[in-house]
Structure formats: C-alpha cells, structure tokens
Amino acid sequence: MGRSPCCEKAHTNKGAWTKEEDDRLISYIRAHGEGSWRSLPKAAGLLRCGKSCRLRWINYLRPDLKRGNFTEEEDELIIKLHSLLGNKWSLIAARLPGRTDNEIKNYWNTHIRRKLMSRGIDPATHRHLNDAENRVQDHEVQTSVAATNTISFASSASVAVVKQEQDPSITSKSSMFEVVSNNKDGRGTLLERCPDLNLELTISPPRMNEPDQPFKNMDRSLYFGCNLGMQNSNDYSCGDGSDIGNTTSSGKRNSTSTAYDFLGLKTDVWDYRRLKMK
DNA sequence: AATGAGTGCAACCGCTTTATA
DNA sequence: GTATAAAGCGGTTGCACTCAT
C-alpha cells in the first residue's frame, strides 16, 4: 500500500551543496528533465534526499532564475501582492518571473518589512501603525479606505464587514450581504459573504475593439485589464479603463460595470508601468 | 587584531495537500 | 474508503559575511 520511501535518510548528505553535486544535478536534469524527485538522487549519483534536490534546483540552479538585486518596481509589486495574498510566497513568486518563493520570502523578511516599518506601515496588515482603526477587534475586518466598500482579508474570516452607511444602496436583499447587527440609527452593519475566492490574478491586454471608449484619447497601450479571479463573476475586477464612466448619476455602478474597489485597489486602472518587469 | 552584533540567504523542518496502491 | 508517500509550501535555523567597537 502507498509508495515506497523517497530516500534513505541515514545515507544522505545535508548542508551546503558542493560544486560537484550542483553539476551532477544540473546535468541530470538537462538530460532527463525535472520531476521524479524520489528517484532522481540515485539516478544522478547524488547522496541527497529528493526533496533536497528539488529545493536546490528550484531555488538556486534553475537556468531561468533572475539573480541580483530586486528593482524598485519589483519591491512595489511584492508589497502590492503581499497586501492581496498575504504570505502566499509561491503565488507572489508566480507573478515575478525569475524569482523564487524562497527568495521573495527572504527578501520580504530582510528588506521590505523594514522598508514598510520605516514608512510607518505594519508589514503584516499593510495599515499605518498609528491608524486608530487598528484598535478595532481583529475579527472585524476593516475597510482600508474610508467611504468606499473595500474588503480586507486581514483576518482569516471568510466574511468582510461592509459599512452600509457608506453606501445605502447596498441592501440585505443582495445575496452578497447579510445584516449582522443594527446600529442606533436603525441602519445595519452588513457582513459581506465572500464566495469561494480564487485569488488568481490575471492581467490581460486591454480590449481594443470597443468603440466609444472613455479612454479613447489616452495611450491605450499603457493599460491592462486585471481580474482577481472571483470565479464565474465579474464583480471583482478592474478594467482597462473601458468601465470608467459606467457609473450612474447616483454614483452606483450600473449592471454592466465590472469595476469594483477590491481589496484596496482603489482604482479602475492599473498603470502597467508600475507592474512590469525590467 | 579581536570580537560580538547585525544581516542575508541557502537549506532544513514540519505541516498540508495531492497522488497512488 | 483508507493508508501511505510524494510533492509543495511557509516558517525557521544556521552559517558566512560585514561592520562597528
């Protein structure tokens, strides 16, 4: 039943890899490709655990790794992604070509944490350290920007509090919201039900074939649409600019709008220049 | 020059998820 | 359906290096 053990731990090397071990691993993977980590050490003539081989390859030997210092753009992208995804280093690394989760994790802990602290920002929550709102109980997830319906996953709770008074148009009739308490003035605090989130962030070129774009006078090549993977939904996406202007006179989004002030991304448009790699 | 504190990063550890028998 | 190991992931550790004293 089950699989056989990946390696005999009693006969494996530990600690720093030697040049010879690196060469053996590289040449083996060049010849046979990645994968089969269990059988790789024996086949490659390495006295290492398969797990260790995998880590060494992924974090250090892979030819597509980008070595060297992080750029300012990468810094900002990591901060932005961390505010969205938390310590999901593998997801963050997936958005930074040539960088590994381990590298980003180390860089976060050694550089960016300090950088944010020096800006007066709590690296764990991305809030200002002296923000009075921080005192609110942790399970009550805060809106990150006043007067907007933003959602934060600062707690592990799967619901987010939405301040109804900030947008009376939101009612408990919506399947997305639930009144959990009533304030003195009779208005309720709503809990927003968050459906299962797929936090995959997709970035795509702008739609170019739609007439009468509000951004028609702008350099369209500068903008990308993005979609923060609410599965089967356009509710939480920011557009390429084509959605701007789709609000009604009352300030409400009309039904065709796909723009949403999501997770503190308080804009319909991301300037790709802030996201692209160098 | 010696040494201790601080820093950066590769590697390991242990847990969870996924795949397989 | 269950047991087990592989794969993957995030947290932590240990060591080499730098710098201030």
Side-chain angles (χ1 to χ4, degrees):
Chain A
M1 195 184 289
R3 298 178 177 180
S4 55
C6 70
C7 56
E8 287 185 53
K9 290 187 177 174
H11 299 102
T12 54
N13 291 340
K14 281 190 168 185
W17 280 63
T18 65
K19 180 79 172 60
E20 188 189 351
E21 286 177 312
D22 281 350
D23 291 342
R24 277 180 185 272
L25 182 56
I26 290 168
S27 59
Y28 182 86
I29 290 177
R30 275 182 186 157
H32 301 92
E34 285 185 51
S36 304
W37 298 109
R38 179 182 60 153
S39 57
L40 186 149
K42 190 176 179 182
L46 287 162
L47 292 173
R48 291 276 179 175
C49 177
K51 197 171 176 176
S52 179
C53 294
R54 177 184 155 270
L55 227 58
R56 182 65 178 172
W57 174 255
I58 289 172
N59 289 334
Y60 198 80
L61 299 176
R62 250 168 48 200
D64 59 328
L65 290 181
K66 186 199 286 183
R67 312 299 298 184
N69 296 337
F70 283 75
T71 65
E72 196 58 36
E73 287 78 10
E74 285 176 307
D75 278 17
E76 294 306 319
L77 181 53
I78 290 169
I79 292 167
K80 177 79 85 178
L81 289 169
H82 187 272
S83 72
L84 295 171
L85 303 168
N87 293 358
K88 300 293 179 188
W89 305 115
S90 60
L91 290 177
I92 294 172
R95 272 92 190 171
L96 284 131
R99 302 294 188 184
T100 69
D101 52 357
N102 203 39
E103 189 178 17
I104 292 169
K105 178 174 61 181
N106 284 334
Y107 187 66
W108 175 270
N109 288 327
T110 56
H111 290 88
I112 298 182
R113 280 172 62 89
R114 233 173 299 155
K115 185 174 177 176
L116 290 178
M117 295 288 272
S118 71
R119 291 180 186 174
I121 295 170
D122 182 350
T125 63
H126 294 265
R127 299 173 192 155
H128 283 282
L129 289 166
N130 58 354
D131 187 347
E133 299 250 330
N134 289 351
R135 290 190 287 273
V136 178
Q137 289 182 356
D138 190 45
H139 72 271
E140 243 188 39
V141 182
Q142 294 303 298
T143 54
S144 62
V145 182
T148 61
N149 298 320
T150 57
I151 303 167
S152 162
F153 294 116
S155 95
S156 59
S158 62
V159 294
V161 171
V162 175
K163 299 273 199 296
Q164 188 183 17
E165 58 269 28
Q166 291 167 355
D167 186 354
S169 69
I170 297 173
T171 73
S172 58
K173 290 175 185 171
S174 165
S175 63
M176 295 289 289
F177 300 96
E178 174 188 10
V179 177
V180 293
S181 65
N182 285 317
N183 302 331
K184 285 178 241 173
D185 62 4
R187 290 193 293 187
T189 295
L190 299 182
L191 282 181
E192 182 168 1
R193 300 175 194 278
C194 291
D196 289 342
L197 289 174
N198 164 18
L199 286 175
E200 284 293 317
L201 171 64
T202 58
I203 299 174
S204 59
R207 296 189 295 275
M208 301 298 288
N209 56 348
E210 293 179 18
D212 302 315
Q213 296 287 349
F215 275 20
K216 60 188 173 187
N217 295 327
M218 298 179 67
D219 180 358
R220 298 292 308 247
S221 67
L222 295 180
Y223 296 95
F224 284 86
C226 63
N227 186 345
L228 277 158
M230 186 69 74
Q231 283 181 338
N232 304 319
S233 170
N234 285 328
D235 287 343
Y236 301 100
S237 63
C238 54
D240 54 14
S242 61
D243 301 316
I244 290 181
N246 281 351
T247 51
T248 64
S249 57
S250 64
K252 287 189 281 188
R253 298 283 181 195
N254 68 23
S255 61
T256 61
S257 172
T258 58
Y260 195 88
D261 192 2
F262 185 58
L263 293 170
L265 289 171
K266 199 176 146 36
T267 175
D268 295 289
V269 178
W270 281 7
D271 182 340
Y272 93 101
R273 287 167 297 188
R274 294 168 61 87
L275 298 172
K276 72 175 184 180
M277 298 300 113
K278 281 202 168 179

